[in-house]
Amino acid sequence: MVSVQWNLRHLRAFVKTYELGTILAASKAVHISQPAVTQGLVRLEDQLGTSLFERHPDGMHPTEAAHL
């Protein structure tokens, strides 16, 4: 079994992106740069093996996996 180490900053960024709907708003809420939020979400998705958001011009739309 592979042990996954979760990054709390990435998890906070995920929650704020889920709540606020945009990476920019999430980055301001968690006080980290927009590229860092994007990289953190990509890393979480890689660790989970699934997409958490659908990227759209009007923001981030949570997938079923994100809702769970």
Side-chain angles (χ1 to χ4, degrees), residues 2-8 10-11 39-52:
V2 176
S3 175
V4 175
Q5 293 195 358
W6 301 104
N7 183 308
L8 292 180
H10 296 166
L11 293 172
Q39 290 174 359
L41 292 176
V42 168
R43 188 162 292 150
L44 280 176
E45 290 175 330
D46 286 347
Q47 288 175 312
L48 294 169
T50 190
S51 294
L52 296 172

PDB file of all heavy atoms in Angstrom, residues 2-8 10-11 39-52:
ATOM      1  N   VAL A   2       0.553   2.207  -0.865  1.00  0.00           N
ATOM      2  CA  VAL A   2       1.326   3.432  -0.972  1.00  0.00           C
ATOM      3  C   VAL A   2       0.761   4.466  -0.010  1.00  0.00           C
ATOM      4  O   VAL A   2      -0.445   4.692   0.049  1.00  0.00           O
ATOM      5  CB  VAL A   2       1.270   3.980  -2.419  1.00  0.00           C
ATOM      6  CG1 VAL A   2       1.984   5.296  -2.511  1.00  0.00           C
ATOM      7  CG2 VAL A   2       1.841   2.963  -3.386  1.00  0.00           C
ATOM      8  N   SER A   3       1.632   5.081   0.749  1.00  0.00           N
ATOM      9  CA  SER A   3       1.223   6.116   1.688  1.00  0.00           C
ATOM     10  C   SER A   3       1.230   7.470   0.985  1.00  0.00           C
ATOM     11  O   SER A   3       2.212   7.844   0.351  1.00  0.00           O
ATOM     12  CB  SER A   3       2.182   6.140   2.877  1.00  0.00           C
ATOM     13  OG  SER A   3       1.858   7.208   3.724  1.00  0.00           O
ATOM     14  N   VAL A   4       0.127   8.201   1.088  1.00  0.00           N
ATOM     15  CA  VAL A   4       0.018   9.522   0.486  1.00  0.00           C
ATOM     16  C   VAL A   4       0.136  10.556   1.589  1.00  0.00           C
ATOM     17  O   VAL A   4      -0.536  10.456   2.611  1.00  0.00           O
ATOM     18  CB  VAL A   4      -1.331   9.695  -0.249  1.00  0.00           C
ATOM     19  CG1 VAL A   4      -1.482  11.101  -0.772  1.00  0.00           C
ATOM     20  CG2 VAL A   4      -1.459   8.685  -1.365  1.00  0.00           C
ATOM     21  N   GLN A   5       0.995  11.541   1.389  1.00  0.00           N
ATOM     22  CA  GLN A   5       1.106  12.634   2.339  1.00  0.00           C
ATOM     23  C   GLN A   5       0.323  13.820   1.787  1.00  0.00           C
ATOM     24  O   GLN A   5       0.643  14.337   0.719  1.00  0.00           O
ATOM     25  CB  GLN A   5       2.566  12.990   2.574  1.00  0.00           C
ATOM     26  CG  GLN A   5       3.310  11.885   3.277  1.00  0.00           C
ATOM     27  CD  GLN A   5       4.635  12.375   3.823  1.00  0.00           C
ATOM     28  OE1 GLN A   5       5.026  13.507   3.650  1.00  0.00           O
ATOM     29  NE2 GLN A   5       5.322  11.491   4.504  1.00  0.00           N
ATOM     30  N   TRP A   6      -0.703  14.232   2.503  1.00  0.00           N
ATOM     31  CA  TRP A   6      -1.560  15.323   2.067  1.00  0.00           C
ATOM     32  C   TRP A   6      -0.955  16.652   2.497  1.00  0.00           C
ATOM     33  O   TRP A   6      -0.500  16.812   3.616  1.00  0.00           O
ATOM     34  CB  TRP A   6      -2.957  15.173   2.660  1.00  0.00           C
ATOM     35  CG  TRP A   6      -3.590  13.882   2.273  1.00  0.00           C
ATOM     36  CD1 TRP A   6      -3.741  12.776   3.045  1.00  0.00           C
ATOM     37  CD2 TRP A   6      -4.124  13.534   1.003  1.00  0.00           C
ATOM     38  NE1 TRP A   6      -4.340  11.777   2.331  1.00  0.00           N
ATOM     39  CE2 TRP A   6      -4.594  12.211   1.078  1.00  0.00           C
ATOM     40  CE3 TRP A   6      -4.266  14.232  -0.193  1.00  0.00           C
ATOM     41  CZ2 TRP A   6      -5.186  11.574   0.003  1.00  0.00           C
ATOM     42  CZ3 TRP A   6      -4.853  13.584  -1.266  1.00  0.00           C
ATOM     43  CH2 TRP A   6      -5.315  12.272  -1.160  1.00  0.00           C
ATOM     44  N   ASN A   7      -0.975  17.608   1.601  1.00  0.00           N
ATOM     45  CA  ASN A   7      -0.488  18.951   1.878  1.00  0.00           C
ATOM     46  C   ASN A   7      -1.684  19.792   2.325  1.00  0.00           C
ATOM     47  O   ASN A   7      -2.640  19.980   1.561  1.00  0.00           O
ATOM     48  CB  ASN A   7       0.154  19.525   0.608  1.00  0.00           C
ATOM     49  CG  ASN A   7       0.750  20.884   0.824  1.00  0.00           C
ATOM     50  OD1 ASN A   7       0.101  21.786   1.326  1.00  0.00           O
ATOM     51  ND2 ASN A   7       2.000  21.028   0.426  1.00  0.00           N
ATOM     52  N   LEU A   8      -1.631  20.302   3.543  1.00  0.00           N
ATOM     53  CA  LEU A   8      -2.766  21.060   4.085  1.00  0.00           C
ATOM     54  C   LEU A   8      -3.051  22.333   3.291  1.00  0.00           C
ATOM     55  O   LEU A   8      -4.211  22.721   3.148  1.00  0.00           O
ATOM     56  CB  LEU A   8      -2.536  21.393   5.554  1.00  0.00           C
ATOM     57  CG  LEU A   8      -2.548  20.193   6.501  1.00  0.00           C
ATOM     58  CD1 LEU A   8      -2.309  20.638   7.941  1.00  0.00           C
ATOM     59  CD2 LEU A   8      -3.865  19.442   6.406  1.00  0.00           C
ATOM     60  N   HIS A  10      -2.702  22.670   0.079  1.00  0.00           N
ATOM     61  CA  HIS A  10      -3.425  22.240  -1.123  1.00  0.00           C
ATOM     62  C   HIS A  10      -4.881  21.924  -0.778  1.00  0.00           C
ATOM     63  O   HIS A  10      -5.789  22.254  -1.538  1.00  0.00           O
ATOM     64  CB  HIS A  10      -2.773  21.016  -1.742  1.00  0.00           C
ATOM     65  CG  HIS A  10      -1.385  21.266  -2.236  1.00  0.00           C
ATOM     66  ND1 HIS A  10      -0.534  20.236  -2.567  1.00  0.00           N
ATOM     67  CD2 HIS A  10      -0.692  22.403  -2.457  1.00  0.00           C
ATOM     68  CE1 HIS A  10       0.628  20.744  -2.963  1.00  0.00           C
ATOM     69  NE2 HIS A  10       0.548  22.056  -2.900  1.00  0.00           N
ATOM     70  N   LEU A  11      -5.084  21.290   0.358  1.00  0.00           N
ATOM     71  CA  LEU A  11      -6.448  20.958   0.769  1.00  0.00           C
ATOM     72  C   LEU A  11      -7.259  22.219   1.066  1.00  0.00           C
ATOM     73  O   LEU A  11      -8.433  22.308   0.689  1.00  0.00           O
ATOM     74  CB  LEU A  11      -6.430  20.028   1.986  1.00  0.00           C
ATOM     75  CG  LEU A  11      -5.872  18.633   1.712  1.00  0.00           C
ATOM     76  CD1 LEU A  11      -5.719  17.861   3.015  1.00  0.00           C
ATOM     77  CD2 LEU A  11      -6.752  17.870   0.740  1.00  0.00           C
ATOM     78  N   GLN A  39      -1.196  24.700  -9.141  1.00  0.00           N
ATOM     79  CA  GLN A  39      -0.281  23.570  -8.979  1.00  0.00           C
ATOM     80  C   GLN A  39      -0.752  22.636  -7.863  1.00  0.00           C
ATOM     81  O   GLN A  39      -0.667  21.412  -7.987  1.00  0.00           O
ATOM     82  CB  GLN A  39       1.129  24.063  -8.681  1.00  0.00           C
ATOM     83  CG  GLN A  39       1.783  24.723  -9.861  1.00  0.00           C
ATOM     84  CD  GLN A  39       3.138  25.331  -9.513  1.00  0.00           C
ATOM     85  OE1 GLN A  39       3.583  25.271  -8.374  1.00  0.00           O
ATOM     86  NE2 GLN A  39       3.779  25.914 -10.509  1.00  0.00           N
ATOM     87  N   GLY A  40      -1.249  23.200  -6.781  1.00  0.00           N
ATOM     88  CA  GLY A  40      -1.742  22.384  -5.676  1.00  0.00           C
ATOM     89  C   GLY A  40      -2.938  21.538  -6.078  1.00  0.00           C
ATOM     90  O   GLY A  40      -3.033  20.360  -5.712  1.00  0.00           O
ATOM     91  N   LEU A  41      -3.851  22.130  -6.849  1.00  0.00           N
ATOM     92  CA  LEU A  41      -5.019  21.371  -7.306  1.00  0.00           C
ATOM     93  C   LEU A  41      -4.607  20.246  -8.251  1.00  0.00           C
ATOM     94  O   LEU A  41      -5.135  19.138  -8.160  1.00  0.00           O
ATOM     95  CB  LEU A  41      -6.029  22.296  -7.985  1.00  0.00           C
ATOM     96  CG  LEU A  41      -6.737  23.295  -7.075  1.00  0.00           C
ATOM     97  CD1 LEU A  41      -7.634  24.216  -7.898  1.00  0.00           C
ATOM     98  CD2 LEU A  41      -7.523  22.597  -5.987  1.00  0.00           C
ATOM     99  N   VAL A  42      -3.659  20.541  -9.129  1.00  0.00           N
ATOM    100  CA  VAL A  42      -3.164  19.502 -10.043  1.00  0.00           C
ATOM    101  C   VAL A  42      -2.527  18.369  -9.244  1.00  0.00           C
ATOM    102  O   VAL A  42      -2.748  17.184  -9.536  1.00  0.00           O
ATOM    103  CB  VAL A  42      -2.176  20.098 -11.069  1.00  0.00           C
ATOM    104  CG1 VAL A  42      -1.440  19.009 -11.835  1.00  0.00           C
ATOM    105  CG2 VAL A  42      -2.915  21.013 -12.031  1.00  0.00           C
ATOM    106  N   ARG A  43      -1.754  18.703  -8.236  1.00  0.00           N
ATOM    107  CA  ARG A  43      -1.112  17.680  -7.412  1.00  0.00           C
ATOM    108  C   ARG A  43      -2.155  16.829  -6.675  1.00  0.00           C
ATOM    109  O   ARG A  43      -2.047  15.604  -6.626  1.00  0.00           O
ATOM    110  CB  ARG A  43      -0.149  18.323  -6.413  1.00  0.00           C
ATOM    111  CG  ARG A  43       0.664  17.266  -5.687  1.00  0.00           C
ATOM    112  CD  ARG A  43       1.890  17.821  -5.031  1.00  0.00           C
ATOM    113  NE  ARG A  43       2.832  18.243  -6.062  1.00  0.00           N
ATOM    114  CZ  ARG A  43       3.703  19.233  -5.910  1.00  0.00           C
ATOM    115  NH1 ARG A  43       3.766  19.899  -4.793  1.00  0.00           N
ATOM    116  NH2 ARG A  43       4.521  19.554  -6.888  1.00  0.00           N
ATOM    117  N   LEU A  44      -3.191  17.473  -6.119  1.00  0.00           N
ATOM    118  CA  LEU A  44      -4.265  16.709  -5.460  1.00  0.00           C
ATOM    119  C   LEU A  44      -4.959  15.775  -6.446  1.00  0.00           C
ATOM    120  O   LEU A  44      -5.235  14.618  -6.125  1.00  0.00           O
ATOM    121  CB  LEU A  44      -5.304  17.661  -4.851  1.00  0.00           C
ATOM    122  CG  LEU A  44      -4.986  18.289  -3.525  1.00  0.00           C
ATOM    123  CD1 LEU A  44      -6.095  19.277  -3.132  1.00  0.00           C
ATOM    124  CD2 LEU A  44      -4.813  17.242  -2.442  1.00  0.00           C
ATOM    125  N   GLU A  45      -5.258  16.295  -7.631  1.00  0.00           N
ATOM    126  CA  GLU A  45      -5.908  15.463  -8.642  1.00  0.00           C
ATOM    127  C   GLU A  45      -5.026  14.288  -9.028  1.00  0.00           C
ATOM    128  O   GLU A  45      -5.527  13.171  -9.198  1.00  0.00           O
ATOM    129  CB  GLU A  45      -6.258  16.312  -9.868  1.00  0.00           C
ATOM    130  CG  GLU A  45      -7.373  17.298  -9.603  1.00  0.00           C
ATOM    131  CD  GLU A  45      -7.660  18.231 -10.753  1.00  0.00           C
ATOM    132  OE1 GLU A  45      -6.729  18.551 -11.524  1.00  0.00           O
ATOM    133  OE2 GLU A  45      -8.827  18.655 -10.878  1.00  0.00           O
ATOM    134  N   ASP A  46      -3.722  14.509  -9.130  1.00  0.00           N
ATOM    135  CA  ASP A  46      -2.794  13.412  -9.424  1.00  0.00           C
ATOM    136  C   ASP A  46      -2.798  12.377  -8.310  1.00  0.00           C
ATOM    137  O   ASP A  46      -2.803  11.170  -8.568  1.00  0.00           O
ATOM    138  CB  ASP A  46      -1.373  13.938  -9.641  1.00  0.00           C
ATOM    139  CG  ASP A  46      -1.189  14.643 -10.967  1.00  0.00           C
ATOM    140  OD1 ASP A  46      -2.077  14.527 -11.844  1.00  0.00           O
ATOM    141  OD2 ASP A  46      -0.165  15.343 -11.120  1.00  0.00           O
ATOM    142  N   GLN A  47      -2.787  12.845  -7.067  1.00  0.00           N
ATOM    143  CA  GLN A  47      -2.785  11.920  -5.932  1.00  0.00           C
ATOM    144  C   GLN A  47      -4.071  11.107  -5.873  1.00  0.00           C
ATOM    145  O   GLN A  47      -4.052   9.931  -5.521  1.00  0.00           O
ATOM    146  CB  GLN A  47      -2.604  12.685  -4.613  1.00  0.00           C
ATOM    147  CG  GLN A  47      -1.213  13.225  -4.412  1.00  0.00           C
ATOM    148  CD  GLN A  47      -1.102  14.073  -3.163  1.00  0.00           C
ATOM    149  OE1 GLN A  47      -1.922  14.956  -2.910  1.00  0.00           O
ATOM    150  NE2 GLN A  47      -0.088  13.793  -2.369  1.00  0.00           N
ATOM    151  N   LEU A  48      -5.180  11.733  -6.202  1.00  0.00           N
ATOM    152  CA  LEU A  48      -6.476  11.050  -6.144  1.00  0.00           C
ATOM    153  C   LEU A  48      -6.778  10.259  -7.414  1.00  0.00           C
ATOM    154  O   LEU A  48      -7.657   9.397  -7.421  1.00  0.00           O
ATOM    155  CB  LEU A  48      -7.594  12.069  -5.899  1.00  0.00           C
ATOM    156  CG  LEU A  48      -7.555  12.764  -4.538  1.00  0.00           C
ATOM    157  CD1 LEU A  48      -8.540  13.924  -4.512  1.00  0.00           C
ATOM    158  CD2 LEU A  48      -7.864  11.765  -3.433  1.00  0.00           C
ATOM    159  N   GLY A  49      -6.093  10.596  -8.497  1.00  0.00           N
ATOM    160  CA  GLY A  49      -6.337   9.902  -9.754  1.00  0.00           C
ATOM    161  C   GLY A  49      -7.641  10.286 -10.422  1.00  0.00           C
ATOM    162  O   GLY A  49      -8.208   9.498 -11.181  1.00  0.00           O
ATOM    163  N   THR A  50      -8.110  11.499 -10.169  1.00  0.00           N
ATOM    164  CA  THR A  50      -9.361  11.970 -10.767  1.00  0.00           C
ATOM    165  C   THR A  50      -9.370  13.490 -10.821  1.00  0.00           C
ATOM    166  O   THR A  50      -8.653  14.148 -10.080  1.00  0.00           O
ATOM    167  CB  THR A  50     -10.583  11.458  -9.972  1.00  0.00           C
ATOM    168  OG1 THR A  50     -11.770  11.745 -10.706  1.00  0.00           O
ATOM    169  CG2 THR A  50     -10.666  12.071  -8.597  1.00  0.00           C
ATOM    170  N   SER A  51     -10.189  14.032 -11.695  1.00  0.00           N
ATOM    171  CA  SER A  51     -10.350  15.484 -11.779  1.00  0.00           C
ATOM    172  C   SER A  51     -11.306  15.951 -10.686  1.00  0.00           C
ATOM    173  O   SER A  51     -12.325  15.308 -10.423  1.00  0.00           O
ATOM    174  CB  SER A  51     -10.916  15.885 -13.138  1.00  0.00           C
ATOM    175  OG  SER A  51      -9.998  15.597 -14.153  1.00  0.00           O
ATOM    176  N   LEU A  52     -10.972  17.061 -10.074  1.00  0.00           N
ATOM    177  CA  LEU A  52     -11.830  17.634  -9.034  1.00  0.00           C
ATOM    178  C   LEU A  52     -12.692  18.774  -9.569  1.00  0.00           C
ATOM    179  O   LEU A  52     -13.734  19.084  -8.988  1.00  0.00           O
ATOM    180  CB  LEU A  52     -10.978  18.133  -7.863  1.00  0.00           C
ATOM    181  CG  LEU A  52     -10.217  17.040  -7.125  1.00  0.00           C
ATOM    182  CD1 LEU A  52      -9.255  17.645  -6.125  1.00  0.00           C
ATOM    183  CD2 LEU A  52     -11.190  16.089  -6.439  1.00  0.00           C
TER     184      LEU A  52
END
